[in-house]
Amino acid sequence: MKIMTAKVLLLTICFLKGSLLLSQDALLKKEFKTYCNPLDIDYSYMSHYRARNNVSYRSGADPAVVNFNGKFYMFVTRSHGYWTSTDMSDWRFIRPQSWYFNGSNAPAAAVYDDKIILLGDPSGRGAVIETNNPDLGDWKTNFAVINMPGGVQDPNLFVDDDGKVYLYEESSNKWPIRGVELDSKNYYIPIGKQTDLFNLEPDRHGWERFGQDHRSDLKPFIEGPWMMKYNDTYYLEYGAPGTQWNVYADGVYTGKNPLGPFEYAPYNPISYKPGGFLKGSGHGSTVRDNNGNYWHFATMAISVNYKFERRIGMYPAGFEPDNGQMFVNTAYGDYPHYLPHIEVENHKNRFTGWMLLSYKKPVSTNSPLVEGKPNVVDESEQGYMQQQITDFGINRINDEEIRSYWVSAANNDSIYVDIDLEKVHDVHAVQLNFQDYQSNIYGRPDTLRQQFKIQASLDGKNWKTIADYSQNQRDMPHGYIELKKPEAARYVRYDHVYCTNNYLAISEFRIFGKGRGKLPKAPKNFRVRRQDDRRNADLTWKPVEGAKGYVIYWGIHPDRLNLSALMYDEPNYELRALNTDQKYFYQVEAFNENGISERSEIIATE
């Protein structure tokens, strides 16, 4: 009888434990229609510099994304593993059975036959590894080191339609992008010598200049090649001018042969995001989804704790049907967009129309402000970082600058932050961007999690919980929460429960939805003047009453203004990303909480 009772008790415990796990899985399972950059994945804490400076920070950079048997696999620098997803919304981290001890560095990945092949040895002198079971991660090596004269930096593996395999690589402010064919039947050893393909020309290509807003005289870096083939044309993407800057971007050269000759695309850059909350969109990869649409994954800059503190962004991409011009749409690129499985009229335009409601609205908290200094690696004096922002006041929590952040002196379940939207709006989603202030975390501990509630109120007195993550067991450093239905609210509260870090630090509490007021009017008196330095142009227009910000668009054809830049508050913009020998067309629009204005007239410059 005692034995039977013990069995029943054990079964009961197992059942309850299983039910708890199921309920947690249900809580973790996203059933979203939208996503918001940066991608909310459990970014690894970097530990490879720990012995030198003991600075703790997360990072995700240099994404190599492949579609393998209908599932997506994302390989990211120094992450001690990689992520997989079936829908580009839920990304599950895989700890492979075998992997690089120090993490892969700017890994290359491609699908060859029935397996994924990968190259990413941090030493730059490794072998191609492969597996036909990436979910298990039983990666195997042939020990045939690809020993190029200068090593292999930022590699890319490309498998052509005929089964031939090519390697492209380089990360340098001196050497060009190079390419070589690999012998896939003989341990992927190089066939012949590397071919020099192209290098930066910052004197002709304004976007290739180094520094914030392209204002540094330091030599820019070319890096991160990624080859695509569309119809009969090869598109060799590359990153420039530096990963820590707001103007980090991807360009492309095209050719009819995988080893060239290649021609500079006159519409460059293709992936460019110099403004907004999270800036930069370089060193990326382009992948085709299961619906036939293309997506570009890119590296976005934070560069607070260290210059290489970065995150991953995802943007609609593709090729113009008539001439094959490649595009990546970054307009409103850190606002909610529809996921791949949601059918839209035009894949290029997946923006939901949910506007930012929280920008610079009155904000308050019951928590005292921390008094202290961050533990960072500051290289601003050497010209390789922006200067630190050390005002940790509560007003930093909704200033749309990821490099600034609020730090609470306390970390307990009595802390709250209230944002007054000043009017009743329809809230559709929120995003919480946590920051690492003296975090002292390294690698990938399994204890990381953030627990909180989001509450809404019409009067600031009666509150309703609209998102409950108080029992959350998932690490969500950029917690994006799409509400099941819109919630009318004037006040929105972050109600803190727990976070693993010593300090509660939030770079941005963002609230998205639709206002109930009027749209701004289209900007008037739009003017464009090309400077004597033809890499630059001055764009001016009259301020629009009620506008929160503006987006400018430009391109080499009036029907394809595929490049954009977003700015808050003040009008006018100095565009420093032009090619000297190219004619351009420009347009501008205004936006506020209620939506987007009509665009101005299109202006051309020779």
Side-chain angles (χ1 to χ4, degrees):
M1 187 65 181
K2 289 182 179 180
I3 294 176
M4 288 297 294
T5 302
K7 286 184 176 180
V8 171
L9 180 60
L10 180 60
L11 288 171
T12 302
I13 292 172
C14 290
F15 174 78
L16 291 173
K17 185 176 181 181
S19 298
L20 179 61
L21 291 174
L22 284 173
S23 65
Q24 289 178 354
D25 288 343
L27 179 65
L28 297 180
K29 178 64 177 176
K30 294 180 184 177
E31 295 181 353
F32 293 173
K33 296 179 180 179
T34 63
Y35 74 97
C36 188
N37 287 322
L39 295 185
D40 183 28
I41 61 175
D42 48 339
Y43 295 92
S44 299
Y45 280 87
M46 299 294 102
S47 52
H48 53 294
Y49 297 121
R50 185 180 185 183
R52 189 175 71 193
N53 55 44
N54 203 39
V55 170
S56 169
Y57 66 99
R58 292 179 186 261
S59 188
D62 317 322
V65 182
V66 297
N67 186 336
F68 180 65
N69 294 334
K71 293 179 67 175
F72 304 95
Y73 294 85
M74 180 165 59
F75 302 89
V76 176
T77 286
R78 307 277 186 175
S79 292
H80 310 294
Y82 44 91
W83 287 263
T84 185
S85 176
T86 59
D87 58 7
M88 294 189 188
S89 176
D90 278 301
W91 290 94
R92 177 177 61 88
F93 187 77
I94 294 175
R95 292 181 181 268
Q97 281 191 344
S98 53
W99 197 242
Y100 301 98
F101 279 109
N102 293 320
S104 59
N105 191 59
V111 176
Y112 179 71
D113 289 342
D114 62 344
K115 55 186 179 289
I116 296 179
I117 58 175
L118 190 136
L119 182 63
D121 192 298
S123 71
R125 302 184 184 279
V128 171
I129 63 176
E130 58 187 29
T131 182
N132 61 6
N133 189 355
D135 288 339
L136 178 64
D138 56 340
W139 295 88
K140 297 176 176 61
T141 179
N142 55 45
F143 301 103
V145 173
I146 299 178
N147 194 7
M148 305 309 295
V152 176
Q153 304 296 325
D154 285 16
N156 168 237
L157 294 170
F158 170 68
V159 180
D160 206 349
D161 298 337
D162 58 7
K164 291 184 178 181
V165 179
Y166 297 86
L167 167 67
Y168 307 90
E169 60 91 21
E170 194 49 81
S171 176
S172 171
N173 62 356
K174 180 178 180 181
W175 307 113
I177 297 291
R178 301 183 175 100
V180 67
E181 184 181 349
L182 302 181
D183 190 345
S184 60
K185 307 302 180 184
N186 186 25
Y187 308 115
Y188 298 101
I189 63 174
I191 298 175
K193 294 183 179 180
Q194 276 187 322
T195 301
D196 289 352
L197 301 177
F198 56 82
N199 209 333
L200 298 180
E201 298 182 62
D203 290 341
R204 297 177 58 216
H205 310 149
W207 72 275
E208 292 180 348
R209 289 175 288 180
F210 198 64
Q212 193 76 358
D213 295 318
H214 308 295
R215 294 184 183 278
S216 172
D217 293 329
L218 294 175
K219 291 188 65 176
F221 286 76
I222 189 170
E223 56 184 276
W226 182 269
M227 174 65 85
M228 290 289 297
K229 188 177 184 181
Y230 179 74
N231 293 335
D232 63 345
T233 301
Y234 296 88
Y235 294 76
L236 186 49
E237 303 169 30
Y238 66 103
T243 188
Q244 63 271 55
W245 306 117
N246 67 323
V247 292
Y248 195 35
D250 280 332
V252 67
Y253 277 70
T254 62
K256 297 299 182 181
N257 184 288
L259 291 178
F262 287 100
E263 184 176 323
Y264 179 80
Y267 49 81
N268 272 326
I270 54 168
S271 178
Y272 188 71
K273 189 182 180 301
F277 168 58
L278 196 66
K279 305 169 185 69
S281 57
H283 192 147
S285 58
T286 306
V287 63
R288 195 176 187 185
D289 69 18
N290 296 323
N291 300 314
N293 294 317
Y294 291 90
W295 295 83
H296 189 69
F297 291 78
T299 306
M300 309 179 79
I302 296 180
S303 299
V304 170
N305 292 287
Y306 188 54
K307 64 184 177 185
F308 294 146
E309 182 182 16
R310 298 163 291 181
R311 296 294 188 267
I312 305 297
M314 179 175 97
Y315 309 96
F319 304 86
E320 300 291 358
D322 57 342
N323 66 354
Q325 175 179 333
M326 191 173 184
F327 67 83
V328 177
N329 186 6
T330 66
Y332 301 95
D334 48 38
Y335 285 25
H337 279 59
Y338 287 113
L339 284 161
H341 67 273
I342 301 301
E343 189 173 334
V344 297
E345 184 176 344
N346 181 0
H347 169 67
K348 184 190 287 188
N349 300 312
R350 285 185 166 267
F351 177 37
T352 59
W354 300 348
M355 306 309 294
L356 182 67
L357 307 176
S358 49
Y359 177 60
K360 290 188 176 179
K361 296 297 176 64
V363 58
S364 59
T365 180
N366 65 339
S367 175
L369 181 67
V370 73
E371 294 183 4
K373 294 183 179 180
N375 180 28
V376 303
V377 179
D378 190 344
E379 297 185 10
S380 58
E381 291 187 1
Q382 291 86 5
Y384 288 99
M385 285 179 69
Q386 293 187 76
Q387 291 185 342
Q388 295 290 319
I389 301 172
T390 55
D391 168 15
F392 303 131
I394 190 62
N395 62 306
R396 292 299 187 182
I397 207 168
N398 62 342
D399 63 356
E400 279 298 279
E401 172 54 72
I402 198 168
R403 298 186 65 255
S404 68
Y405 50 98
W406 164 70
V407 184
S408 169
N411 181 2
N412 56 58
D413 60 6
S414 67
I415 298 170
Y416 65 81
V417 175
D418 289 350
I419 293 183
D420 178 1
L421 302 179
E422 297 185 313
K423 297 179 181 179
V424 174
H425 297 299
D426 296 314
V427 176
H428 286 252
V430 298
Q431 186 191 47
L432 286 153
N433 299 273
F434 296 91
Q435 177 55 280
D436 290 296
Y437 174 85
Q438 299 186 10
S439 59
N440 199 31
I441 299 172
Y442 302 91
R444 296 191 57 84
D446 57 10
T447 58
L448 300 178
R449 63 188 187 276
Q450 300 80 21
Q451 297 174 335
F452 54 87
K453 293 181 181 180
I454 302 297
Q455 296 180 304
S457 174
L458 292 170
D459 57 9
K461 298 177 181 179
N462 300 293
W463 294 90
K464 175 184 177 182
T465 298
I466 59 175
D468 189 347
Y469 282 70
S470 59
Q471 301 299 315
N472 173 54
Q473 299 299 312
R474 180 169 66 89
D475 182 19
M476 42 194 299
H478 296 278
Y480 175 68
I481 302 164
E482 177 190 311
L483 302 184
K484 291 183 178 180
K485 61 179 182 179
E487 190 70 39
R490 171 172 170 172
Y491 302 88
V492 180
R493 170 176 289 180
Y494 168 81
D495 197 357
H496 184 63
V497 176
Y498 174 82
C499 66
T500 312
N501 286 10
N502 294 328
Y503 292 94
L504 170 61
I506 299 177
S507 65
E508 206 77 12
F509 180 14
R510 309 176 80 207
I511 303 167
F512 297 100
K514 294 184 177 181
R516 299 180 177 183
K518 295 181 179 180
L519 300 180
K521 294 182 178 181
K524 295 182 178 180
N525 298 334
F526 182 44
R527 300 286 184 269
V528 181
R529 183 186 66 85
R530 200 106 178 231
Q531 296 180 10
D532 292 339
D533 182 343
R534 290 178 53 79
R535 297 172 297 180
N536 309 328
D538 295 311
L539 285 69
T540 60
W541 57 92
K542 187 177 179 180
V544 176
E545 183 179 355
K548 289 293 184 181
Y550 306 89
V551 176
I552 61 167
Y553 297 89
W554 71 98
I556 66 171
H557 190 280
D559 294 332
R560 301 191 192 95
L561 305 184
N562 291 337
L563 291 162
S564 65
L566 181 150
M567 64 220 69
Y568 288 100
D569 301 324
E570 299 299 325
N572 306 335
Y573 188 78
E574 184 184 18
L575 178 58
R576 300 173 58 84
L578 304 180
N579 300 307
T580 56
D581 55 355
Q582 181 60 52
K583 179 178 180 178
Y584 286 98
F585 299 85
Y586 316 80
Q587 207 169 23
V588 64
E589 67 190 14
F591 66 88
N592 62 15
E593 298 101 324
N594 308 310
I596 302 170
S597 75
E598 293 184 1
R599 294 189 186 181
S600 70
E601 71 275 22
I602 294 176
I603 292 180
T605 62
E606 296 297 330

